Amino acid sequence: FYGYGDKIVDWAMGKMPQYIGSNQRHDFGFYCNEDAMFHPAKGLLALKISGIDGIKMKNIRIENLQDETPIGSNLCGEITQPQHGLYHFAQQLPYQIGYSMNMVMGMTIDFSNVHMEDTQINDLYSSTGLVYGMAAWFESDIDVNGKLHVNNLNAGVDL
């Protein structure tokens, strides 16, 4: 996305300085809940496994993740269900809803076949967002052996 009418490139190259001038703000378009590469916002993520067949992990330890991101803007409006418009088209319940750059996730797995043995996820903290120790998403087969310990998750502590 390069702004309304794709004019943000012209502005960035100095060809149209008035594009983001104080009297032209209505021409400047944006979307909420995405990063600079137009991916849905995920927040702080320690380990993401996506699209891997036959991964084997042993003695994985994820600990001491802390996010202090403030509450996001409500400039795009309040949202309680995924919807198109100013929010990213790929957000999904319960993973994302509206602003989600303040979330902390220890491990996420999707579209993968994983064998894990003796895994620990400890001490995850978010000042204002959700916290997931481990999240399994679409089309994943996860074989857990030994210990799987998830301890001390702190979500929205400052709210």
Side-chain angles (χ1 to χ4, degrees):
F1 178 74
Y2 298 110
Y4 180 77
D6 292 338
K7 293 178 183 153
I8 201 164
V9 174
D10 291 335
W11 169 81
M13 300 196 60
K15 296 177 186 173
M16 194 176 182
Q18 74 280 8
Y19 180 63
I20 305 182
S22 61
N23 61 348
Q24 298 290 324
R25 294 219 186 257
H26 65 280
D27 288 338
F28 184 68
F30 66 95
Y31 292 96
C32 296
N33 199 35
E34 63 190 44
D35 65 16
M37 294 178 60
F38 199 59
H39 299 136
K42 297 170 191 72
L44 181 58
L45 176 59
L47 178 60
K48 180 174 176 59
I49 300 170
S50 183
I52 300 176
D53 189 23
I55 188 169
K56 294 182 180 181
M57 303 185 305
K58 186 174 183 178
N59 296 320
I60 298 295
R61 186 178 207 161
I62 297 168
E63 59 188 6
N64 299 323
L65 297 178
Q66 181 169 333
D67 185 276
E68 297 180 3
T69 303
I71 291 287
S73 170
N74 62 1
L75 192 58
C76 288
E78 186 174 333
I79 181 171
T80 57
Q81 293 292 319
Q83 64 189 33
H84 298 292
L86 294 177
Y87 288 94
H88 197 281
F89 64 90
Q91 62 184 350
Q92 304 154 358
L93 285 171
Y95 179 51
Q96 297 165 309
I97 192 70
Y99 183 78
S100 56
M101 286 300 289
N102 55 355
M103 293 193 316
V104 174
M105 291 178 278
M107 179 187 311
T108 68
I109 301 171
D110 61 6
F111 302 103
S112 298
N113 295 316
V114 177
H115 172 85
M116 58 190 341
E117 184 175 338
D118 295 329
T119 303
Q120 293 184 45
I121 302 171
N122 301 309
D123 302 315
L124 309 184
Y125 172 95
S126 175
S127 295
T128 61
L130 299 173
V131 173
Y132 295 99
M134 180 177 158
W137 302 100
F138 311 101
E139 298 180 35
S140 294
D141 183 18
I142 304 168
D143 181 26
V144 179
N145 290 301
K147 297 181 250 178
L148 172 58
H149 289 280
V150 179
N151 301 296
N152 202 22
L153 306 181
N154 299 281
V157 175
D158 293 344
L159 298 180

